[in-house]
Amino acid sequence: MELKRLARILRKRWILIVAFTLLGVVGGAAAALLTPVQYQASTRVFVAAQIQIGSTPGDLVQGNNFVVQKLPYYLDVATSPRVLDPVITSLGLDETAANLAERVTATTQPGSAVIEITALASTADAAQQLAEAVSESFTDVVINQLETPADGGASPVTVGVLNPAVVPDNPALPQLYLNLAVGLLIGLLVGLVTAFLIGLLDRRIYNRDDIERLTVVPVLGGIPLEAHANPLITPDGPATARAEAFRVLRTNLEFADADTSRRSLVVTSSVTGEGKTTTLVNLAIVLAESGATVAVIDADLRTPRLADYLGLDPDRGLTDVLVGDVPLKDSLQSWGTLHPLTVLSSGKIPTNPSELLGSTAMGTVLDVLSSSYDYVLIDAPPVLAVTDAAVLSRWTGGTVLVVGANRVSEAELLAAFDALEAVGTTPLGVVLAMVPTRGPDALVRDGGFAVSPRPPLRPSLRPSRSAAATAIDRGPTPVESDISSTDNPTHTRVTW
């Protein structure tokens, strides 16, 4: 995994990490509060070989080696019922040797003959008495029982107390600070693992890097998401971040489309709710602001929204023109005063949208408008929902794919590219919309969306124009074209 992606996950999921860390601290504090108070007392005893009269140095060394070898066994003896049963009897404890063994430990250092016996109890005095009683019982069992010769002679080992048990001043348990530290580390670890797992499993598109990992199509711009803001920018209005983002998009689009003489563009998205209509209208506004003449077509004949956005009449539009009920010039509406846009709304919702949009009549409409306007922007349905956008791309000079941040998955974006490629269309570029203004996925403000030359996914495979379409006069004078659509057997008449 790239370090950049790891850092992004940490920045994006830091609240989750902090929450798990705090939960771990709270858990450590709760464990400390629920742990019964325990006091600890310790005593140290020394096990050595019994020195006999007339012993040589060699005998002493051999005896000490004997003790060191048997010391691990003595540790087990210290917590055995043979030692603890007498302790229970002498102290009057109401528990078994097995339960008492959980509160008594015996340890030693490697190569040492010193055994440290530690005891836990609910009170300081009880801990001191328990440690003393265990050491006394251990001494008695080792000298008088385990190491007593069969012939009744003296024991070969002796046990002496080095440090008697003392009454502890402070409880040994609970260890509040230790519990808090352990809880913090566990919570932090769980938070990091959870954040990374969520980050790795989350395959949605959030920023430019996510797009560039999947495709070589350039990212033309990024549009910030401004809460409670009018979705449409004001022509020649103040230089807000949102307005400047669309002006950057306009400039980048001009460079991306420099080699295309036809300036008719399909604006679509992978799925619904990615902001394609808003992006199209604002792009048209800034194009008109630069002095270009712009026509906008609502070719979403299933769920049209353009007329509602602009407050125009939705009842007469593209559908009426394609079926020959209304002349094209009578269906065009104007929006705006300073830099007006020419708008062709969707009209009535037909029963056969794909057939109408794929007909030669649609190609004729685009030919006529393209010859009269600098730009023709077409609002098309999402690529994955229906085939309308792919069908429209045959008649236009390019396709712009709008990708909503946190609205579409990587698989859906790749499927959209595949659907466009299937009809021989390579998008001119991608517009990343609805980008947050804060956080790890915020917009790059240092020219990070400038277009750089990139190879296309594959050569464009647009079909050739029909003879009727190419015969149309390119001037703005009225044109009447009578065309039979190859996709729709009905006689279609498009009148300018």
Side-chain angles (χ1 to χ4, degrees):
M1 187 189 305
E2 300 176 355
L3 292 178
K4 187 176 181 180
R5 190 175 183 187
L6 286 176
R8 175 174 164 267
I9 291 176
L10 290 177
R11 292 183 61 194
K12 192 174 185 65
R13 311 287 178 183
W14 69 269
I15 295 180
L16 179 67
I17 298 173
V18 171
F20 271 103
T21 303
L22 293 177
L23 186 62
V25 172
V26 171
L33 292 175
L34 296 176
T35 301
V37 176
Q38 296 283 308
Y39 288 85
Q40 179 178 288
S42 300
T43 181
R44 301 172 71 223
V45 297
F46 179 81
V47 182
Q50 186 74 277
I51 300 176
Q52 303 291 337
I53 298 176
S55 298
T56 64
D59 295 334
L60 295 177
V61 172
Q62 185 177 1
N64 289 331
N65 291 336
F66 168 78
V67 170
V68 170
Q69 291 175 359
K70 299 197 66 174
L71 208 59
Y73 303 101
Y74 292 152
L75 298 180
D76 293 335
V77 170
T79 56
S80 66
R82 197 163 186 173
V83 171
L84 298 182
D85 283 338
V87 173
I88 294 173
T89 302
S90 63
L91 297 179
L93 301 179
D94 186 17
E95 57 185 321
T96 64
N99 293 334
L100 181 58
E102 296 178 358
R103 299 192 288 120
V104 176
T105 58
T107 59
T108 186
Q109 297 296 325
S112 173
V114 176
I115 297 177
E116 183 173 9
I117 298 174
T118 302
L120 288 174
S122 58
T123 64
D125 290 336
Q128 186 268 340
Q129 294 172 6
L130 180 58
E132 288 288 348
V134 171
S135 67
E136 292 174 0
S137 178
F138 171 75
T139 301
D140 180 67
V141 169
V142 171
I143 295 176
N144 298 324
Q145 298 180 31
L146 298 180
E147 300 296 348
T148 300
D151 57 3
S155 173
V157 299
T158 181
V159 179
V161 177
L162 293 179
N163 300 105
V166 297
V167 178
D169 296 327
N170 299 309
L173 296 176
Q175 296 178 323
L176 177 61
Y177 294 112
L178 179 60
N179 286 1
L180 293 178
V182 172
L184 184 145
L185 291 176
I186 293 177
L188 179 61
L189 180 61
V190 173
L192 288 172
V193 171
T194 304
F196 286 138
L197 285 177
I198 294 177
L200 293 176
L201 295 176
D202 186 2
R203 310 308 295 180
R204 288 174 291 180
I205 301 298
Y206 287 98
N207 55 29
R208 176 177 181 170
D209 293 337
D210 293 336
I211 297 174
E212 292 182 340
R213 282 191 294 105
L214 302 176
T215 178
V216 295
V217 174
V219 180
L220 299 177
I223 310 303
L225 176 65
E226 296 183 3
H228 310 295
N230 189 334
L232 303 184
I233 64 174
T234 303
D236 293 329
T240 63
R242 184 174 174 82
E244 288 304 310
F246 280 106
R247 294 185 181 106
V248 171
L249 171 60
R250 175 189 65 195
T251 302
N252 291 343
L253 183 62
E254 290 173 350
F255 282 106
D257 198 27
D259 296 333
T260 304
S261 59
R262 296 174 52 86
R263 295 298 179 92
S264 58
L265 301 174
V266 173
V267 179
T268 184
S269 61
S270 303
V271 296
T272 58
E274 295 189 72
K276 65 176 178 62
T277 302
T278 303
T279 300
L280 177 141
V281 174
N282 286 311
L283 176 60
I285 291 174
V286 295
L287 286 172
E289 184 183 76
S290 67
T293 56
V294 183
V296 179
I297 302 176
D298 190 352
D300 190 343
L301 302 184
R302 303 170 190 270
T303 55
R305 302 179 61 188
L306 188 61
D308 293 337
Y309 263 71
L310 301 179
L312 300 176
D313 182 9
D315 293 332
R316 57 186 178 93
L318 180 61
T319 301
D320 306 285
V321 174
L322 295 180
V323 299
D325 291 345
V326 180
L328 177 59
K329 63 180 180 180
D330 293 339
S331 298
L332 299 178
Q333 304 179 64
S334 180
W335 182 88
T337 55
L338 188 60
H339 306 290
L341 302 177
T342 300
V343 181
L344 179 61
S345 63
S346 62
K348 301 180 181 64
I349 299 178
T351 57
N352 56 342
S354 296
E355 288 77 4
L356 286 178
L357 295 177
S359 66
T360 53
M362 184 67 195
T364 302
V365 169
L366 292 177
D367 275 337
V368 172
L369 293 178
S370 297
S371 65
S372 303
Y373 294 89
D374 296 326
Y375 285 94
V376 179
L377 303 184
I378 306 161
D379 186 11
V383 175
L384 299 185
V386 290
T387 61
D388 297 4
V391 169
L392 280 171
S393 65
R394 299 187 308 164
W395 307 114
T396 62
T399 302
V400 174
L401 189 65
V402 177
V403 177
N406 195 20
R407 296 298 194 281
V408 63
S409 67
E410 293 181 0
E412 290 170 330
L413 181 59
L414 290 174
F417 278 114
D418 291 340
L420 293 174
E421 283 188 272
V423 295
T425 298
T426 298
L428 290 176
V430 173
V431 178
L432 185 61
M434 310 174 79
V435 184
T437 56
R438 296 181 180 179
D441 299 315
L443 285 176
V444 179
R445 302 186 183 278
D446 56 354
F449 281 103
V451 174
S452 57
R454 297 174 182 269
L457 290 174
R458 61 177 63 176
S460 178
L461 302 174
R462 295 188 182 89
S464 59
R465 307 296 294 164
S466 64
T470 55
I472 294 178
D473 181 9
R474 294 262 177 206
T477 57
V479 176
E480 180 172 343
S481 176
D482 193 358
I483 304 172
S484 296
S485 171
T486 58
D487 300 293
N488 190 343
T490 60
H491 189 63
T492 305
R493 184 181 183 86
V494 176
T495 304
W496 172 260

